[in-house]
Amino acid sequence: IGRGASGEVRRADYMGKKVAVKTWRDLGSEEGKDLLKEIGMMSHAFRHKNVVDFYGIYEHDGLPWLVMELMPGGSLEQYYEAKKKSRRDGRWRPETRRAVSWVEDILSALAYLHAQKPPVIHRDIKPANMLLTEDGRTVKIGDFGVSRRCPHSLRNGAVGTYRYMAPEIFRGEGQYTAAVDVYSFSLVMWYIF
């Protein structure tokens, strides 16, 4: 599905289902450490219709492969870019009904994650991590590599994507709560509309 300098995501078959499997060649890199953290977070077996399903971990050639639900619709970011490119004027927005449905999906997932004991803070809510089903009707939150349990004490500087980052993370303030996801969600909602 995709390959970068240090990792890749592939399509695979798992018990009769099409799945995505993700790994990093260098587990000592920051991205590799994030994959291990994502495996740890996803192993809590979140079960929600708007959170990408986690199926397990597969070890191959000494590397862990995170096995998860395949989201064939790609990310909201990819979807928007493709729609814009298909237009002569480069502009596109979804129908209001569809946009509201996507917003409701994201809010439902965040409410579920924030209701966990202790709450889960995603910390990287952005269009690239909002994944679509094949028909493009449903959004699911993915990529839990920088997620943490709440409250979280910031020790290593800012995490996430600057454009969608809450001010308290950007400024490196001591502790923050799930409110950082709400801030990021508001920017994603602006992006959607």
Side-chain angles (χ1 to χ4, degrees):
I1 297 173
R3 176 176 287 183
S6 58
E8 60 188 85
V9 179
R10 295 182 182 182
R11 289 179 199 261
D13 290 313
Y14 172 73
M15 298 177 67
K17 287 184 179 180
K18 296 287 183 198
V19 297
V21 289
K22 174 179 177 180
T23 198
W24 294 98
R25 290 189 258 312
D26 179 8
L27 293 177
S29 70
E30 284 305 310
E31 294 87 1
K33 291 174 186 173
D34 284 346
L35 176 70
L36 294 175
K37 291 173 188 171
E38 183 173 8
I39 290 169
M41 186 61 67
M42 295 301 291
S43 68
H44 293 284
F46 303 128
R47 294 284 177 239
H48 188 274
K49 66 184 178 107
N50 300 112
V51 175
V52 172
D53 284 334
F54 170 73
Y55 300 125
I57 303 162
Y58 173 74
E59 188 269 327
H60 179 70
D61 289 339
L63 295 175
W65 289 78
L66 177 62
V67 182
M68 59 196 149
E69 179 179 11
L70 178 64
M71 299 300 294
S75 72
L76 269 180
E77 184 176 73
Q78 293 167 330
Y79 187 81
Y80 271 61
E81 290 306 312
K83 288 289 190 180
K84 287 177 183 179
K85 284 181 183 176
S86 71
R87 301 288 181 132
R88 183 171 291 205
D89 64 2
R91 297 175 58 173
W92 178 84
R93 286 289 170 225
E95 292 179 18
T96 301
R97 183 177 51 239
R98 176 62 48 89
V100 168
S101 175
W102 288 341
V103 165
E104 290 173 342
D105 288 349
I106 297 166
L107 281 175
S108 180
L110 285 176
Y112 170 79
L113 293 169
H114 295 169
Q116 299 299 300
K117 302 287 187 224
V120 173
I121 309 172
H122 188 278
R123 301 197 311 169
D124 201 15
I125 298 296
K126 62 183 179 182
N129 288 337
M130 303 299 110
L131 305 175
L132 293 164
T133 54
E134 188 168 13
D135 63 8
R137 293 177 186 243
T138 303
V139 173
K140 296 188 179 196
I141 293 179
D143 195 348
F144 286 80
V146 297
S147 299
R148 297 294 177 269
R149 295 288 182 162
C150 185
H152 180 73
S153 183
L154 186 63
R155 295 187 188 104
N156 302 8
V159 295
T161 304
Y162 287 117
R163 184 175 189 173
Y164 297 94
M165 188 180 293
E168 55 268 43
I169 295 178
F170 183 79
R171 289 190 301 257
E173 294 177 6
Q175 285 202 337
Y176 49 86
T177 66
V180 300
D181 285 346
V182 176
Y183 177 90
S184 299
F185 161 75
S186 71
L187 295 174
V188 171
M189 186 170 65
W190 175 80
Y191 177 93
I192 289 171
F193 284 101

